[in-house]
Amino acid sequence: MKAARKRAQAEVEQDVFLAGRPSRQPLDRISGKWVAPILCAPGGDDSPGRPGAAHADAPRAMRCSEISRLLAGVSRKMLTRTLRALERDDPFTRTVTPAAPVTVSHEPTDLGRSLHHMTRGLGSWARTRMAEVLANREKHDSRTS
Amino acid sequence: MKAARKRAQAEVEQDVFLAGRPSRQPLDRISGKWVAPILCAPGGDDSPGRPGAAHADAPRAMRCSEISRLLAGVSRKMLTRTLRALERDDPFTRTVTPAAPVTVSHEPTDLGRSLHHMTRGLGSWARTRMAEVLANREKHDSRTS
DNA sequence: CAGGATCCCGCTAGATACTG
DNA sequence: CAGTATCTAGCGGGATCCTG
């Protein structure tokens, strides 16, 4: 009964996208306005003063304020909330350093890095296809208006 | 002034994730509960009766009802809405065939296929990492409760 | 079969102000 | 610097009923 087995496999493969399935949860984690941006930030960094640093695929630990500066537009609330959610699922670890001004560092884990690759991919897709999408959108709108 | 140029590039690269920027829009298109599932559906197909068909990366045209059957759980409203949005941005073309019962076919375009690759990636990530995520979540919850 | 209209609930996310 | 509490508007998205 190979066909049945094959169908079963297809189901397993598919069910990540089915509603109600627990396997859908990791995908839902990606949704949320700031998840992708935050996941992507630690690698897209190209701080001034380190011109040669190929900002390759090396997410590094970042401080809270650092991220918020990079992502201009995120509210403190959402930053904290999103980071906590990501911490819960693992992509980041959160280490607090009690000092005069408290500092909190968010370091990507293995899982975080793997997710980072995905979002990087999404980012570059958005970048290269953006023009195309917007053009199509306008064309479409003008046709129907 | 190479440094400046480099920073400018980094900005361009980064701004896909910044709020308010129009370049953020393609990314927002991905959000929405059903976008990823729908994008992924036409390739994850493994219809019974075609056992040898490696359901590789070949998204094909699908009918509305076909998709809804595949994605068990999506409401008709959201199906239509999402498909229309995707049509506007291009990933799909929509062709109506007036007949006794109207049939509507949704065929992926080039852009759609490229997006399809991204979502496939997300899907497989979710599949392989799902267990890990859920485990971490539980561990985390038990620590804090 | 496909899609629109309407109603309605709940969550997301922003603004603001306050603590350690 | 980082986080929390409260309030609030807006939208996502489900259910239900109706058209071609």
Side-chain angles (χ1 to χ4, degrees), chain A residues 32-34 75 77-78 81 102:
Chain A
K33 199 171 178 180
W34 296 107
S75 68
K77 179 177 141 187
M78 289 321 291
R81 184 189 285 194
V102 178

Side-chain angles (χ1 to χ4, degrees), chain A residues 31-47:
Chain A
S31 80
K33 199 171 178 180
W34 296 107
V35 183
I38 287 181
L39 273 169
C40 209
D45 162 59
D46 182 20
S47 356

